Amino acid sequence: MSKSNAAAPALLDAKLLRLFEVLYSTRSVTRAAEELGQSQPTVSIWLGKLRHDLHDPLFVRTPAGMQPTPRADALIQTVREALEALRRLSSWQPEFVPGTTQDRFRIAMTDASHITLLPQLLAHLRAAAPLARFEAAKIEADIGDLLQSGAVHMAIGLIPELESGFYQQALFDQDWVCMANARHPRLDDGLTIERYRAEAHIGIVSGTGHALLESALDRHGVDRRVVMELPGFLGMAAIVGTTDLIATLPRQSGEMLARINGLRVFPCPVPIPSFTVKQHWHARYHHDAASRWLRGVCVNLFQTRTIPGGDGIHRDE
């Protein structure tokens, strides 16, 4: 310990400062005890400590009550300023005004979310925070570190690898559909499990959704004939619309792509487990005003899942 730290005087307890102020105003230990909600013996003990710490009697009993000493008169303004500073600190709320903020928000999401979520999210954010800047980032292997450091404000998707220190909130559930050319020559009567096995497919070879799909197909003994593999959803709709290939993908993405590109959607004939899309953030930013606003926007826009008994916020320990 340095000499300067060793010689530094101890800080006064806030309750002693409050006693000083109240006793200076009331000139009565009894009335001070009532105002502070304490017993008179307790206040007397506090006053003794206050006198010890400030090296002065501070208040002297007289027929007119407890009168301040010259040192108390000299200190009262400083005491009141210190208490006011503590009150401001206790009541301080971070101010965040979306309409004037120039913050930069970085949201990690899958490329599927670029199709399904990003257009609506960006439209809302530009209207609510026109001076801010927004960036859609990939969900990389180091997403946990990026969230912790603040380099990424929030991540949206199926991200089971996020562990201790992260909050998550359910937005909506996803099941699976199949997407095909509207003029597919062999699907006029629908898509059966036999036809699903026989047709050629497009496969997505990345992401947790891909792993979930492949695991379910393997479990049910369905061996797809994949003739085209893609790293993501970019280009999928164009390929489906110009070939007889079938794509199996989450419902929200499939229905959006089909609607935009004039494709056809079928129920998936293989029972693939559904999953929940969530937003994730680090505990460091749980109370950050800007981050809370951004999360609230996503909840208002996308949360369709019924959350029994609360808002669905959960922290992984």
Side-chain angles (χ1 to χ4, degrees):
M1 181 181 293
S2 67
K3 291 183 179 180
S4 59
N5 287 338
L11 296 176
L12 289 177
D13 193 320
K15 68 176 182 288
L16 300 183
L17 293 178
R18 179 73 178 119
L19 171 61
F20 191 116
E21 180 188 45
V22 173
L23 196 53
Y24 193 92
S25 300
T26 64
R27 304 292 203 268
S28 167
V29 171
T30 300
R31 289 174 59 192
E34 292 174 354
E35 187 165 335
L36 295 173
Q38 300 292 332
S39 67
Q40 188 167 328
T42 296
V43 168
S44 296
I45 293 172
W46 289 2
L47 179 56
K49 181 169 176 52
L50 190 59
R51 285 167 167 164
H52 175 270
D53 291 346
L54 294 179
H55 313 291
D56 190 86
L58 298 174
F59 299 94
V60 178
R61 192 178 302 278
T62 72
M66 300 292 288
Q67 295 300 311
T69 65
R71 179 159 172 77
D73 284 330
L75 288 175
I76 184 58
Q77 186 59 34
T78 300
V79 168
R80 285 171 173 164
E81 290 172 356
L83 285 169
E84 180 58 29
L86 289 173
R87 292 186 185 103
R88 287 197 303 269
L89 183 61
S90 298
S91 62
W92 180 80
Q93 293 290 334
E95 182 179 2
F96 177 75
V97 182
T100 59
T101 185
Q102 298 184 39
D103 287 359
R104 178 181 180 180
F105 295 95
R106 196 163 185 241
I107 308 170
M109 57 177 61
T110 63
D111 62 339
S113 294
H114 293 176
I115 300 168
T116 58
L117 305 183
L118 190 55
Q120 186 180 359
L121 177 59
L122 182 59
H124 183 95
L125 293 176
R126 290 194 65 196
L131 303 180
R133 179 178 176 180
F134 306 96
E135 178 183 348
K138 293 182 179 179
I139 299 177
E140 304 282 8
D142 61 347
I143 184 61
D145 293 336
L146 295 173
L147 288 169
Q148 180 176 338
S149 69
V152 169
H153 293 82
M154 183 174 62
I156 300 177
L158 174 62
I159 319 174
E161 65 267 26
L162 291 181
E163 297 177 353
S164 178
F166 294 92
Y167 282 90
Q168 58 179 247
Q169 186 174 26
L171 295 178
F172 54 89
D173 293 329
Q174 284 269 54
D175 60 352
W176 296 79
V177 297
C178 294
M179 186 173 67
N181 193 315
R183 297 176 297 280
H184 196 289
R186 293 175 295 280
L187 300 182
D188 289 343
D189 296 329
L191 181 62
T192 64
I193 185 63
E194 292 77 13
R195 179 55 57 192
Y196 187 88
R197 293 176 185 270
E199 293 296 329
H201 294 257
I202 296 177
I204 301 295
V205 294
S206 63
T208 50
H210 160 73
L212 189 67
L213 170 61
E214 291 299 326
S215 176
L217 292 174
D218 183 65
R219 187 166 56 254
H220 291 285
V222 177
D223 185 16
R224 291 186 303 170
R225 182 164 60 92
V226 177
V227 301
M228 179 69 195
E229 292 184 335
L230 296 174
F233 289 83
L234 183 64
M236 175 182 282
I239 295 172
V240 171
T242 55
T243 67
D244 62 352
L245 300 182
I246 294 174
T248 305
L249 66 172
R251 176 178 297 277
Q252 191 181 56
S253 301
E255 292 181 345
M256 177 72 74
L257 288 171
R259 184 165 58 251
I260 295 174
N261 296 278
L263 305 174
R264 191 174 178 187
V265 172
F266 299 90
C268 183
V270 182
I272 303 169
S274 62
F275 62 92
T276 301
V277 174
K278 302 175 182 178
Q279 57 179 352
H280 306 76
W281 63 96
H282 195 270
R284 288 185 62 205
Y285 297 93
H286 185 58
H287 296 287
D288 178 71
S291 297
R292 291 179 65 183
W293 170 76
L294 182 62
R295 300 194 303 264
V297 168
C298 290
V299 166
N300 291 334
L301 290 177
F302 305 127
Q303 190 176 70
T304 59
R305 189 180 190 213
T306 301
I307 307 298
D311 55 12
I313 295 177
H314 169 71
R315 180 177 177 182
D316 289 332
E317 299 295 349

